[in-house]
Amino acid sequence: MVPFLVVPLLVGTGARASAPPSGATATGYGGAVASVDPTATAAGLEVLRHGGNAVDAALAVAATLGVTEPFSSGIGGGGFFVYYDARTGRVSTLDGRETAPRSMGETAFVNPATGQPYAFQEARVSGLSAGVPGSLATWDAAARRWGTRPLSSALGPAAKVARDGFTVDATFNQQVSDNAAAFAQFDPTAKLYLPGGAPPAVGTTMRNPDLAATYDLVARRGIDAFYGGEIGRDIVTTVQRPPLAASPSRPWQYQIRPGGMTVSDLRAYDVRSPAPTHMTYRGYDVYGMATPSSGGSTVGEALNILERSDLRGLDKTQALHRYLEASALAFADRNRYVGDGTPRPVLDSLLTDGFAGERACQIDPAAALSKPVLPGVPDGHYATCSSATGGAAPDKGQSTTNLTVADRWGNVVEYTLTIEQIGGNGIVVPGRGFLLNNELTDFNFTPTQGTAPDPNLPAPGKRPRSSMAPTIVLQHGRPFLAVGSPGGSTIITTVLQILVNRLDLGMTLPEAVAAPRASQRNTASVTAEPAFISSAEGQALAGLHHTFTPMAEIGAATAIEFLPHGRLLACAEPVRRGSGSAGTVH
């Protein structure tokens, strides 16, 4: 396929570096970047200005986010990378999800002394929760497969940011404050993020020379330095013998447990390339991430359910009612069927029109279903409807980051990456400058599906189920929209709600991203932002027996829309998570 973006020749416009983008929305030509951080967005735009493609730029953004957004991303974590290739017209994916060590069994998060599952924070702040990181391997695979530059070119500028420093903002300060008790338990974490016993003050300069040196080492020696080399040995030592502070400045109520990761686990890590999930919605082709992510299948199933309703012809209350109900039904099926190792025919069956039709007929326009609802049976026989209740609670995950990049040739990257909880497992690898993930707490600690098999229990070498939902939408075979978000299990509903807002409810992309959010994940109460609850639609939905639990913010999305004549609309959050940053080359 011939690249479809035609970029006007801008006479007299040079490829000069510029200040970091200051806004959450930008429209222009020549490529675009949206992320949560202006320094990271600027790094990506600089790559695009100097001839790099979307993959080159995305890796520069990701590496920089590992410096400036270290509590949500970094080389101690993993993620899912979705790529549209303008030359072939194909969407491909990389699964860089963290992996359980070979020593991990099904009862890993059950206290052998009591027979009860560990409290979440006890499991999280430990070596036990750390999975084998996948981010560096993902970056290397993307660079080799689709990039025009080696990974070292992305690591160099990020290392400079780590060495020279960046300005601490209110979000960074608050995230350290929220994790101060956990961070205080470990000498290297406290030294880096609690200097003098307190979080770095807003407006001060934050430097991380250890991370700069780590990036430099990987740039020189390749990712083998991490996957089994000297960095890897330090990771394993940290997991097996957490670097506890002799006299923590803050109390911690739990025993800090070691994990079983080995150098062999690191050496065995592989980046997978599963076929993306795919479904059609009102003439658009929607591509997402397959297992171990549940994002692609759950967003896709919910859209299939919603396609049975003319949302544009309904009032907004009824459209949102169906959005919430479709989310609950899709989450019931996610919890029952989706995990690492779900057979592809089962995953694909969740995205069939017949199954969606059977699920959609349970929606009552006059009242919300009693939650949680039972999962359906995607067996190919969809003649009748059933009404039932039951199910499982959503995942506990909370923090991630997302970036969206397009280049002048029409290539697109949608990439969601994470270390799981804000602050990961709380442990900075000594001398290396990065936090480890607590991704393994995304496993279910104990069975959740009654007598049915639970697809998300721990197992040796298994990857925990994720809610990350990087999504690329094509129209007539060409990109129309790319979107993703952080937010644990609310990622799925955030992406879904933005798609509904944009494709069905007549909102522009900035309006679709900024609109108040609500998340129904098959629970008795809908988690919703205060502005959603207090809106006229929120009050009307309460009259349909939806109940609400407030959450200050849900998600922190980034997106790019492809406008006529080669223009690009890049969009990040105007307010959430301290606001995001979007920019275009011209």
Side-chain angles (χ1 to χ4, degrees):
M1 175 180 289
V2 177
F4 73 93
L5 280 183
V6 180
V7 182
L9 178 63
L10 302 180
V11 179
T13 302
R16 295 186 300 273
S18 59
S22 59
T25 302
T27 304
Y29 299 90
V33 179
S35 82
V36 299
D37 177 72
T39 302
T41 295
L45 289 172
E46 192 69 6
V47 172
L48 295 175
R49 287 189 182 100
H50 287 85
N53 70 7
V55 171
D56 303 325
L59 299 183
V61 176
T64 304
L65 287 172
V67 181
T68 60
E69 287 275 312
F71 313 121
S72 301
S73 64
I75 59 174
F80 298 104
F81 192 103
V82 180
Y83 175 65
Y84 171 81
D85 188 319
R87 183 179 61 83
T88 65
R90 293 183 57 188
V91 176
S92 302
T93 74
L94 295 176
D95 164 17
R97 181 68 159 164
E98 300 88 336
T99 302
R102 293 289 172 180
S103 60
M104 176 163 270
E106 187 172 295
T107 60
F109 292 111
V110 175
N111 189 332
T114 65
Q116 298 298 309
Y118 295 125
F120 178 74
Q121 289 297 339
E122 182 175 12
R124 174 209 164 195
V125 182
S126 72
L128 190 64
S129 67
V132 177
S135 285
L136 264 179
T138 302
W139 301 354
D140 188 65
R144 292 177 184 276
R145 188 167 174 180
W146 302 302
T148 67
R149 304 175 178 187
L151 175 58
S152 58
S153 69
L155 297 177
K160 186 176 188 303
V161 175
R163 190 175 294 110
D164 294 348
F166 60 93
T167 302
V168 173
D169 62 14
T171 299
F172 191 100
N173 172 273
Q174 187 61 53
Q175 289 176 341
V176 177
S177 298
D178 292 343
N179 279 283
F183 286 0
Q185 306 312 305
F186 308 102
D187 276 334
T189 315
K191 179 180 178 182
L192 182 59
Y193 294 122
L194 294 170
V202 174
T204 61
T205 299
M206 178 73 198
R207 295 183 176 87
N208 191 339
D210 286 346
L211 181 57
T214 299
Y215 277 175
D216 289 342
L217 179 61
V218 174
R220 291 195 309 272
R221 299 189 185 176
I223 65 170
D224 285 348
F226 187 95
Y227 291 97
E230 56 196 274
I231 301 170
R233 291 191 291 272
D234 287 346
I235 292 171
V236 167
T237 299
T238 303
V239 169
Q240 294 183 358
R241 296 191 296 275
L244 300 177
S247 301
S249 60
R250 290 168 171 80
W252 188 251
Q253 66 185 101
Y254 301 112
Q255 177 183 346
I256 295 173
R257 301 175 184 276
M261 189 189 298
T262 66
V263 172
S264 295
D265 292 319
L266 283 164
R267 288 176 177 155
Y269 186 83
D270 68 302
V271 176
R272 303 172 183 171
S273 301
T277 60
H278 172 240
M279 52 81 63
T280 59
Y281 184 70
R282 308 197 197 281
Y284 296 93
D285 288 283
V286 181
Y287 290 89
M289 196 70 215
T291 56
S293 175
S294 61
S297 62
T298 311
V299 169
E301 181 187 342
L303 287 173
N304 271 335
I305 293 170
L306 288 169
E307 198 168 27
R308 272 70 195 161
S309 297
D310 178 15
L311 299 188
R312 295 182 184 180
L314 297 172
D315 63 63
K316 192 173 180 182
T317 297
Q318 274 297 317
L320 290 171
H321 170 63
R322 285 165 170 77
Y323 152 71
L324 294 172
E325 296 293 84
S327 299
L329 292 163
F331 259 90
D333 300 325
R334 163 204 189 261
N335 293 342
R336 171 64 185 86
Y337 297 110
V338 182
D340 191 22
T342 297
R344 188 63 189 234
V346 173
L347 193 70
D348 291 340
S349 69
L350 295 173
L351 291 171
T352 60
D353 288 335
F355 183 60
E358 181 175 272
R359 300 299 273 156
C361 68
Q362 295 193 47
I363 297 176
D364 180 355
L369 293 166
S370 178
K371 309 295 190 308
V373 298
L374 277 177
V377 182
D379 57 2
H381 303 287
Y382 308 125
T384 61
C385 298
S386 59
S387 179
T389 60
D395 291 346
K396 301 171 282 294
Q398 292 184 10
S399 180
T400 308
T401 194
N402 193 82
L403 60 95
T404 311
V405 180
D407 63 30
R408 64 190 180 193
W409 299 283
N411 303 302
V412 186
V413 171
E414 188 63 52
Y415 183 28
T416 313
L417 57 161
T418 185
I419 59 172
E420 179 50 13
Q421 200 80 4
I422 294 176
N425 74 349
I427 311 175
V428 167
V429 179
R432 301 300 180 183
F434 62 89
L435 283 156
L436 290 175
N437 68 84
N438 66 297
E439 212 64 63
L440 301 186
T441 58
D442 259 0
F443 285 123
N444 294 334
F445 289 11
T446 56
T448 65
Q449 298 301 305
T451 59
D454 188 317
N456 192 41
L457 291 174
K462 188 175 181 179
R463 301 185 180 192
R465 180 173 61 205
S466 170
S467 299
M468 288 183 273
T471 302
I472 292 178
V473 180
L474 306 185
Q475 185 179 34
H476 308 307
R478 295 179 173 181
F480 171 74
L481 181 66
V483 61
S485 177
S489 54
T490 68
I491 291 171
I492 290 168
T493 56
T494 294
V495 170
L496 177 62
Q497 190 174 357
I498 290 171
L499 292 175
V500 169
N501 287 345
R502 178 66 190 89
L503 302 180
D504 290 308
L505 302 188
M507 297 184 193
T508 64
L509 181 60
E511 290 169 343
V513 169
R517 292 183 185 139
S519 178
Q520 169 52 272
R521 291 158 288 158
N522 199 25
T523 53
S525 178
V526 178
T527 302
E529 294 177 336
F532 187 99
I533 297 171
S534 63
S535 68
E537 292 80 18
Q539 295 176 39
L541 288 165
L544 297 178
H545 309 304
H546 292 280
T547 60
F548 297 101
T549 298
M551 176 181 280
E553 293 182 348
I554 297 176
T558 65
I560 293 175
E561 183 172 335
F562 296 77
L563 304 175
H565 311 299
R567 287 195 308 147
L568 297 164
L569 169 59
C571 189
E573 296 284 357
V575 176
R576 295 179 183 96
R577 202 183 278 194
S579 78
S581 171
T584 58
V585 173
H586 302 300

